[in-house]
Amino acid sequence: MSAAPCLAQQERLLARGETVAWHEGMDLRGWYPLYVEYMERGGALADAAMCWRELGETAFSDAFFVNTLARQPHEERRVCRTPLAALATLGDCLAPDALIFHVSRCGSTLLSQLLASLPQCIVMSEPPVIDSLLRLHHDNGDPAASIALLRQAILALGQRRSGEETHFFIKFDCWHIHSLDLLRRAFPGTPCLFVYREPLAVLASHQRQRGPQMVPGMLHPAQLPLPEHQLAPGDLDGYTGLVLASLFTAAVPHAAAGQLQLINYKQLPDILFSDLLARFGIAPTTRRLQTMRARGGVHAKYGTAYHGDAPAPAASGLAAIAALLQPGYLALEALRLHAGQDQ
């Protein structure tokens, strides 16, 4: 069981379908790891199991990994539980071209959706197996084993299905910036992007529709280190401010050390066309580029025309919270501009 019961319950819902018995030598091509089942404290890794789902012909084209799973027809859903060692048996997998981190509600989904529209790109957007493995790491505390499992799981997510895929990108949940050191050890030398946005806009977006990380108790406490606070019960805006501050604070030293390429929301989607595609050796056709540019004006999560977010209500109290977060945002801006990323 997981130390984050709410997320663990959501993960288990993904594993509904016809159960397929695993056997030694089973071909797991077309199967994708969902989450780890393990004893929360003191359980041996040898007793843990990986839950998988077969995707068949269902393509990962949705805004999030879980949306693609939800779109798969019920009659096609098949699940399987294997030893963790089965992660290492998949072949023909791509290593990631880049690891994408972000502060949430900042354009990272737009970036991942534009990349996913290209047939040569595999894009995994916030696959839950990563969070599950990070919880396992915090509960069982074996860094070497955690790094190996994270690497194997990410490679499994990068399996080639059509044969024309040549690039692979993975976008993490926003709180995974706190686990950047561990994830970089799984893929040393792999570029890491960090997408961020002016704090007031992020706060206002979460006030309209709260993300799970912005609700106390939803995440494993070790994954989201927050300072001691005396917020009133139910002060979700205040708690969102604490979480967002922790993300800025976690990113700044990594960016200062040259471990993150910083991307401001206002640079999207143009920076993809002016910098990132060429940097990663991706050469879309003219027609694909036209389609991507048109898609840049569509809401990445909902598929509707995007005309910008509504401004935060003046009486919402968010401006005062945003003012406290401004130093972290400005520190990232200074680092970005110093690196010459001023598009």
Side-chain angles (χ1 to χ4, degrees), residues 52-86:
W52 303 69
R53 224 173 88 184
E54 187 182 33
L55 266 294
E57 299 299 318
T58 305
F60 283 96
S61 57
D62 299 271
F64 299 100
F65 183 96
V66 295
N67 296 142
T68 292
L69 266 62
R71 181 167 52 82
Q72 185 183 32
H74 288 269
E75 64 274 12
E76 296 180 9
R77 299 180 186 184
R78 302 203 305 161
V79 299
C80 182
R81 286 166 176 79
T82 75
L84 295 183

Side-chain angles (χ1 to χ4, degrees), residues 26 63 89 92 107 164 191 236 238 286 296 318 320 325 327 334:
M26 178 176 173
T89 64
D92 199 18
E164 61 180 322
L236 294 182
T286 300
L318 295 183
L325 305 180

